[in-house]
Amino acid sequence: VSSALDKLIEAPEEVNPALLAAWYLREMRLHGELRVSYLIGMAGRLEEAQASGQKMLDEGNQVVDSLRKAAADTSPIVPVGF
Amino acid sequence: VRALEFDREGRVTPATLLEVFSVPIKVRDALQYIEDATEPVRLLGLYQHYFPEEYAKSTASFSLLGEKGEQLSYSPREIEFVQLVEARFFPLNDLYEFVEERDMRIWPQILSIGDYMETNLSDYRPAVQVIITMSAGVLHDLIDDVDEEALDDRVVAALRLAEGRLNIGMLKARCHPFDTPLKHLPLAVEAVWQCTGCVWLDADYEQPVDAFWKRSDIDWLREEYEQYQKLTAKMNELYEWMEADYLHMMMAVSTLQSCLQPIEEQQAA
């Protein structure tokens, strides 16, 4: 459990860059500002957002997986109502 | 854009209105959203990035409609980019102008030695025929396909006597001290086995290159292609050395022969 928790504690607190990029594109589309020339110019940054977004997603999945596989540990604190 | 839904009184439903403003909240959906938004301009973005001057000067059309109004898989401007990649970076399969379906996968030309069990062995140069025959592990099936006129009789006789499976670790150790092109023999065997670690030497039609039209994959294929050219130069040096002198050819054959092990012995090891 501790290693999985350590990974969670160490994880950066930031929004996945793929989500930010998708929201930004969505916003531009709604305002009719999403032009081909803009997309061509932004292609590199969007590719980076996809790559880092995918990486962050994979890392998150790994943490969830390690939490699932972690052995149960008894808490010293009795939950309220028990 | 999805067609609008109306209620019984002809008003746009709130669900439809909300749909227009919905944003992806799952990372997978966001990744797909970016993919869908950028796919139509992916090749153009890469064109501008890798060849900015040519892109600025180009007058080729962006349209996916041909002169007769037919649907094209790639616009003339995109084809121009693919041709530049081929001319300056690495060779591609000659299909981008003719395929019916647009595909964001990169289809490089197959440059590996290929499926020698299906190809006519005598189509290879003599040195490669010898290396394939000695490293294939099914000698008696291949030896009859060798172009005997291109090889010295004594080399053919030595090939007929060879039996067993090549031990690549042993071959590497044996060739390591050589200061002749014979030191490249293990590389030439790995090229036959398609396990050099260089994608251009290892990939074939059954195991194609797994790459897409994006910067990271293009940069990777460029680096690998430079590596391919270096490795190919080494192998050509070996082939020319072997073919230059019958004694060289025999040295290669005997080196390979000394690393052949009975199959049972190798399995036990």
Side-chain angles (χ1 to χ4, degrees):
Chain A
V1 178
S2 61
S3 83
L5 285 177
D6 286 343
K7 279 184 190 171
L8 270 179
I9 292 163
E10 286 166 15
E13 288 181 33
E14 58 180 295
V15 181
N16 188 300
L19 279 173
L20 289 177
W23 293 340
Y24 189 62
L25 287 177
R26 184 76 171 153
E27 186 74 11
M28 291 194 77
R29 179 170 276 172
L30 279 174
H31 289 93
E33 292 168 359
L34 196 59
R35 297 196 171 83
V36 169
S37 56
Y38 172 80
L39 277 173
I40 292 173
M42 284 288 286
R45 288 173 68 182
L46 290 169
E47 194 181 310
E48 281 167 21
Q50 280 177 292
S52 52
Q54 182 65 54
K55 186 169 175 276
M56 203 183 268
L57 177 67
D58 293 342
E59 286 168 355
N61 286 339
Q62 273 178 12
V63 172
V64 173
D65 200 40
S66 59
L67 273 172
R68 281 201 184 112
K69 286 176 183 164
D73 203 356
T74 315
S75 169
I77 303 161
V78 179
V80 179
F82 284 87
Chain B
V1 178
R2 226 180 65 174
L4 292 178
E5 287 174 10
F6 298 94
D7 63 13
R8 285 178 185 174
E9 290 166 15
R11 289 174 304 201
V12 177
T13 61
T16 304
L17 277 176
L18 286 173
E19 171 77 21
V20 176
F21 293 96
S22 71
V23 289
I25 51 167
K26 288 181 182 171
V27 178
R28 284 194 195 289
D29 294 341
L31 288 166
Q32 191 59 49
Y33 188 86
I34 302 170
E35 186 73 20
D36 293 344
T38 55
E39 195 276 338
V41 296
R42 178 86 50 81
L43 292 173
L44 299 173
L46 293 168
Y47 189 169
Q48 198 181 47
H49 173 70
Y50 287 107
F51 310 107
E53 284 178 27
E54 289 80 357
Y55 183 86
K57 285 179 193 164
S58 174
T59 54
S61 165
F62 293 103
S63 176
L64 287 172
L65 283 178
E67 286 175 4
K68 295 170 187 168
E70 75 277 19
Q71 187 69 35
L72 304 172
S73 306
Y74 301 94
S75 69
R77 182 76 69 108
E78 289 172 324
I79 295 290
E80 206 171 72
F81 165 65
V82 171
Q83 287 168 341
L84 279 168
V85 168
E86 171 137 54
R88 300 192 195 166
F89 292 173
F90 44 75
L92 291 163
N93 241 334
D94 186 24
L95 52 77
Y96 286 90
E97 281 182 76
F98 311 108
V99 288
E100 290 178 0
E101 208 167 310
R102 192 176 167 85
D103 189 355
M104 281 298 112
R105 183 179 279 274
I106 299 178
W107 292 103
Q109 216 177 82
I110 300 296
L111 299 177
S112 63
I113 289 190
D115 192 352
Y116 51 83
M117 298 298 281
E118 297 295 330
T119 313
N120 194 352
L121 193 63
S122 58
D123 289 343
Y124 293 100
R125 61 189 291 175
V128 179
Q129 288 185 47
V130 167
I131 294 167
I132 289 176
T133 310
M134 293 293 288
S135 58
V138 279
L139 296 171
H140 300 294
D141 286 335
L142 284 179
I143 187 65
D144 295 331
D145 298 334
V146 164
D147 180 8
E148 295 191 16
E149 285 179 19
L151 294 169
D152 189 284
D153 289 346
R154 288 159 290 188
V155 174
V156 177
L159 289 178
R160 287 194 184 280
L161 286 173
E163 239 179 283
R165 186 179 282 173
L166 190 70
N167 183 321
I168 190 72
M170 197 186 278
L171 182 67
K172 281 181 181 174
R174 198 143 296 178
C175 292
H176 184 67
F178 292 151
D179 54 4
T180 63
L182 203 53
K183 64 183 175 216
H184 304 313
L185 199 50
L187 168 65
V189 170
E190 284 178 333
V192 170
W193 289 350
Q194 292 173 236
C195 63
T196 60
C198 172
V199 71
W200 289 93
L201 279 170
D202 297 345
D204 59 17
Y205 291 104
E206 285 184 12
Q207 290 181 313
V209 176
D210 192 22
F212 293 84
W213 284 113
K214 54 184 183 179
R215 289 185 198 185
S216 52
D217 284 0
I218 292 174
D219 293 342
W220 170 61
L221 284 176
R222 284 176 78 184
E223 283 169 22
E224 287 287 302
Y225 191 62
E226 280 176 22
Q227 178 69 0
Y228 163 82
Q229 287 171 315
K230 285 178 193 163
L231 297 178
T232 305
K234 288 180 182 175
M235 290 193 292
N236 284 334
E237 192 191 347
L238 169 69
Y239 302 152
E240 277 156 28
W241 180 83
M242 283 169 68
E243 288 163 8
D245 192 327
Y246 142 75
L247 284 173
H248 293 172
M249 190 69 89
M250 281 306 285
M251 277 171 75
V253 171
S254 63
T255 306
L256 288 164
Q257 205 160 13
S258 68
C259 299
L260 291 176
Q261 284 183 315
I263 293 168
E264 309 80 50
E265 197 178 303
Q266 208 176 54
Q267 278 171 345

